[in-house]
Amino acid sequence: MAAAQTPRETARAAALGARSALGGCFAAISAWERDLGRLRVLVNVGELAPDEEEFPENESYPVRDFPEIAEFLHERWAGGGEPDAWVETADGPPCDRGPGSYCHQRVATLRRRGRGCCVVAPIVLHGRAWGELYVARPAGAPVFDREDARFATVLAAVAASGIAQTERLAEARRLAFTDPLTGLANRRAVDVRLEEALERHRADGTVVSLVVCDINGLKQVNDTLGHAVGDRLLERFGSVLSVCGAMLPGALAARLGGDEFCLVTVGPPTEEVVRAATELCHRAAKLDLGEGVACGVASTGQPIGPVPSARRLFRLADAAQYRAKAARADGPVVAGDEGPDDPVVRMADASPTAPAPGPERRRFRGR
């Protein structure tokens, strides 16, 4: 579990370890989604029944069918007890399907899937019931005993520790790759995505595009209305960028810093990217703050020459954005629109860094 990088990997490692340690034929980890009132299965490992998948998309069960999870939290553990596993067998209470009868769902599931017994251990995280560890043995195998249940309780505690660690890592990654003001990706995330995208481009020619935007008039808003209003403009434009980015499958919307934003796309043709960038410009112009945006597009789907690095794509997009700002264009300027002799391409090639479009621009780039 210590080597797991994602919640899925953590759950799988926990389930595999518990199955092996308890001598089971099957194990699962489920999470209690309190807001939806259900147990959602995260992973199944071992001998799967025909209706089971290792990583199910939609396998979940109403908590009302498994009330012991809720009872465990509210009546046993919260009252001063300790997390404690229990055992169910296929020879449990018979299932009378007459009116008003109660069929124990775990027993019914064991019978339906040809298993003889199971041990269930609540997973407690941050002082709350988080979900459960479930391990089963086949029909005819020795039934889990009290010692097995105690051991399952220990294993569930180990699983909880691993899940907590993964959650902390996920939160650290989120903070490391997220702009705190807008909730968009940050420059670090853009660099990672572009490097991966350009490796793919070099391998199979996948189109990679970069849209760079600069909010016009942010400095004036800050100077006349205050930085709180300027922050509101940044947040609102971030929302517009996110909406327009959704027009392009898999697009990454990011704030590079200050008044600079971008979209990174991998796969969509240049025409679709330009269409989304045009929509972005039109929506930005309608905001009641600022003066719209200057927008530049650089895409490997255009005649822009080789793109050996993300730095090259940034120079091209910056040069296109500079021309858009200088011309007060109400739409995006696209590098390579006029072929290899496009002034934007020549401008990007002329200097190792993109030109600054005026005193209003604040540079936050640098590598």
Side-chain angles (χ1 to χ4, degrees), residues 187-225:
R187 176 58 190 262
R188 183 181 289 107
V190 171
D191 286 342
V192 171
R193 176 68 65 87
L194 270 180
E195 291 299 339
E196 293 174 347
L198 290 174
E199 284 184 15
R200 184 174 165 187
H201 168 70
R202 288 188 288 268
D204 59 17
T206 298
V207 175
V208 178
S209 302
L210 176 65
V211 180
V212 175
C213 304
D214 184 292
I215 299 178
N216 295 325
L218 176 63
K219 184 177 185 302
Q220 183 179 1
V221 171
N222 284 333
D223 291 345
T224 58
L225 300 176

Side-chain angles (χ1 to χ4, degrees), residues 181 217-236 255 258-259 289 360 362 364:
L181 176 64
L218 176 63
K219 184 177 185 302
Q220 183 179 1
V221 171
N222 284 333
D223 291 345
T224 58
L225 300 176
H227 285 271
V229 178
D231 285 349
R232 188 160 72 246
L233 171 57
L234 292 169
E235 290 180 274
R236 293 187 63 186
R255 181 186 177 205
D259 55 5
L289 293 169
E360 184 177 296
R362 294 173 292 171
F364 284 83

Side-chain angles (χ1 to χ4, degrees), residues 81-364:
E82 293 295 331
D84 196 14
W86 63 89
V87 175
E88 304 280 0
T89 72
D91 296 328
C95 180
D96 177 5
R97 297 189 179 278
S101 63
Y102 170 69
C103 175
H104 197 299
Q105 294 298 321
R106 294 190 192 277
V107 173
T109 300
L110 285 171
R111 294 172 183 170
R112 186 174 72 252
R113 291 174 173 163
R115 295 166 185 153
C117 63
C118 68
V119 59
V120 184
I123 296 174
V124 177
L125 203 61
H126 309 309
R128 316 178 67 179
W130 178 91
E132 67 174 35
L133 166 67
Y134 176 101
V135 181
R137 287 176 178 169
V143 173
F144 290 114
D145 59 23
R146 189 63 242 165
E147 288 302 313
D148 292 320
R150 292 194 183 98
F151 189 28
T153 300
V154 174
L155 294 174
V158 174
S161 177
I163 291 166
Q165 173 70 7
T166 303
E167 288 185 350
R168 286 192 292 271
L169 288 173
E171 178 64 10
R173 290 192 193 96
R174 187 189 69 79
L175 293 174
F177 290 97
T178 303
D179 174 63
L181 176 64
T182 63
L184 300 177
N186 62 13
R187 176 58 190 262
R188 183 181 289 107
V190 171
D191 286 342
V192 171
R193 176 68 65 87
L194 270 180
E195 291 299 339
E196 293 174 347
L198 290 174
E199 284 184 15
R200 184 174 165 187
H201 168 70
R202 288 188 288 268
D204 59 17
T206 298
V207 175
V208 178
S209 302
L210 176 65
V211 180
V212 175
C213 304
D214 184 292
I215 299 178
N216 295 325
L218 176 63
K219 184 177 185 302
Q220 183 179 1
V221 171
N222 284 333
D223 291 345
T224 58
L225 300 176
H227 285 271
V229 178
D231 285 349
R232 188 160 72 246
L233 171 57
L234 292 169
E235 290 180 274
R236 293 187 63 186
F237 179 73
S239 297
V240 170
L241 182 70
S242 179
V243 168
C244 293
M247 298 169 60
L248 304 164
L252 178 71
R255 181 186 177 205
L256 297 172
D259 55 5
E260 296 182 299
F261 292 76
C262 78
L263 284 174
V264 179
T265 70
V266 185
T270 306
E271 295 77 14
E272 292 184 14
V273 176
V274 173
R275 190 177 305 119
T278 301
E279 178 68 15
L280 175 63
C281 292
H282 289 168
R283 290 186 180 226
K286 294 179 180 179
L287 294 176
D288 56 6
L289 293 169
E291 302 169 7
V293 296
C295 183
V297 179
S299 174
T300 62
Q302 291 288 98
I304 58 175
V307 183
S309 67
R311 183 184 292 272
R312 163 73 174 170
L313 205 61
F314 260 115
R315 286 206 301 266
L316 287 163
D318 269 345
Q321 182 201 68
Y322 171 71
R323 286 179 59 82
K325 182 176 283 286
R328 297 185 177 275
D330 59 3
V333 170
V334 183
D337 251 0
E338 301 176 21
D341 295 327
D342 180 0
V344 170
V345 178
R346 294 203 305 272
M347 183 183 297
D349 287 336
S351 171
T353 58
E360 184 177 296
R361 176 125 171 201
R362 294 173 292 171
R363 302 301 296 172
F364 284 83

